[in-house]
Amino acid sequence: PAPPPPKAPEPAEDKVATPAAAQPQPPPPPPTSAAPPPPKSAAPPAPKPAADKPAEPKPPAAHGAPAGERETRVPMSRMRQRIAERLKGAQETCALLTTFNEVDMSALMALRAKHKDAFEKKHGVKLGFMSAFVKASVMALQEQPAVNAVIDGTDIVYRDYVDISVAVSSPKGLVVPVLRGCEKMSFADVEKEIVRLGKLAQKGGLALEDMVGGTFTITNGGVFGSLLSTPIVNLPQSAVLGMHGILQRPVAVDGAVVIRPMMYIALTYDHRLIDGREAVAALKRIKELIEDPHRFLLDV
């Protein structure tokens, strides 16, 4: 018998797929395209042209730089070498000690203000404070001869004269010429000699002989603003007086507090020769004479 004719296929749109039985289907896998490469870091922006910026200062030399690149070396003058030798020699030789006091400058300043014009008219020089301190030092040294003496080997040399070295300014620094025979000088003589030596110092005309042979030194750091200091003895001397700045300060006078122009004074001395009693007595005598200038006339 003949086979039955084949069935005609059903239309695709009419065919409904039957879902699988109850199990959930996993999500479809992601596409298998190649992973993108990691992003590259952005390139730094190009620097601006240096011409648009001002030139920067050169940085300082590092701490490890050679010392020669940060120093300036100059030779010492002969005068500075000599000063250094003498000052260092004084520290190594002497037993240095300093005692202090303070001076009320009211009376001396009033005396100067009252008579300075007449003094200058008669003597041709201005009346300063240095002449008073020189004359006061002369009287103190005569009363305390050990302060004007010097040790020479195993001997003590007492001087019967008073040659006082005073510090003056020069183009090369401070120099210390000597006022010779101060015990015979008046106030005017002292002021004239200081002016003469000061002019020589400014011109560089001081000779070595002008700066040797003193028996005592007066230095005034007050002209530079010093309030207090401990000066160094100038060998072969045994003591030095230090003057300082004059400042208005409250002090007790007769049980009341008043404002007075005060100056600290210091006496550095060689304790090998000068005892504390003698040094303090000499400085106290200078204080008394400056605070009461009438004592110069009465010799008290």
Side-chain angles (χ1 to χ4, degrees):
K7 292 182 176 181
E10 297 179 356
E13 59 273 15
D14 296 334
K15 186 175 181 180
V16 180
T18 304
Q23 294 183 354
Q25 297 296 324
T32 58
S33 59
K40 296 182 178 180
S41 59
K48 294 182 179 180
D52 297 340
K53 297 175 60 178
E56 296 182 358
K58 186 177 180 181
H63 292 292
E69 297 180 3
R70 297 176 286 128
E71 298 176 348
T72 301
R73 183 182 295 267
V74 296
M76 290 178 67
S77 65
R78 293 181 60 187
M79 179 179 292
R80 177 51 58 184
Q81 293 180 42
R82 183 61 176 161
I83 291 173
E85 291 172 1
R86 292 174 67 88
L87 294 180
K88 189 59 180 175
Q91 287 185 321
E92 295 175 348
T93 302
C94 301
L96 297 179
L97 186 62
T98 304
T99 184
F100 302 94
N101 215 316
E102 60 180 357
V103 178
D104 184 349
M105 298 290 291
S106 300
L108 184 60
M109 293 175 71
L111 177 69
R112 179 176 179 269
K114 182 177 180 180
H115 299 292
K116 64 179 181 179
D117 294 335
F119 185 92
E120 185 175 2
K121 182 178 180 180
K122 180 176 181 178
H123 300 290
V125 292
K126 294 182 178 180
L127 177 60
F129 295 138
M130 184 60 76
S131 55
F133 276 92
V134 168
K135 295 302 296 180
S137 298
V138 169
M139 296 182 69
L141 295 176
Q142 289 175 333
E143 294 173 7
Q144 303 294 334
V147 183
N148 197 46
V150 65
I151 293 176
D152 184 14
T154 57
D155 298 328
I156 299 176
V157 179
Y158 291 94
R159 290 126 163 185
D160 298 327
Y161 59 93
V162 180
D163 290 352
I164 295 183
S165 305
V166 293
V168 297
S169 297
S170 77
K172 296 182 180 179
L174 287 178
V175 292
V176 191
V178 181
L179 304 176
R180 303 190 187 278
C182 292
E183 73 279 5
K184 302 174 184 178
M185 287 184 173
S186 65
F187 276 63
D189 294 333
V190 172
E191 295 292 354
K192 290 176 181 178
E193 187 66 4
I194 291 175
V195 170
R196 185 187 72 84
L197 293 172
K199 290 180 178 179
L200 282 177
Q202 289 297 324
K203 297 176 181 178
L206 286 175
L208 184 60
E209 293 77 15
D210 296 321
M211 295 180 284
V212 296
T215 64
F216 186 74
T217 292
I218 299 177
T219 179
N220 186 4
V223 297
F224 305 108
S226 174
L227 178 64
L228 193 63
S229 67
T230 54
I232 300 178
V233 168
N234 182 21
L235 291 179
Q237 302 172 12
S238 299
V240 53
L241 174 68
M243 300 167 56
H244 301 93
I246 303 172
L247 297 178
Q248 297 285 338
R249 293 194 286 111
V251 293
V253 178
D254 297 329
V257 177
V258 296
I259 304 300
R260 292 291 178 86
M262 304 298 294
M263 175 193 290
Y264 288 114
I265 54 176
L267 183 72
T268 298
Y269 58 97
D270 186 355
H271 207 2
R272 300 177 304 162
L273 170 63
I274 305 170
D275 292 333
R277 179 187 62 83
E278 296 164 323
V280 171
L283 191 62
K284 186 173 181 289
R285 181 60 167 155
I286 294 172
K287 168 187 170 69
E288 293 171 349
L289 291 165
I290 296 299
E291 291 186 338
D292 186 3
H294 297 95
R295 291 175 176 268
F296 288 110
L297 298 177
L298 303 177
D299 193 20
V300 295

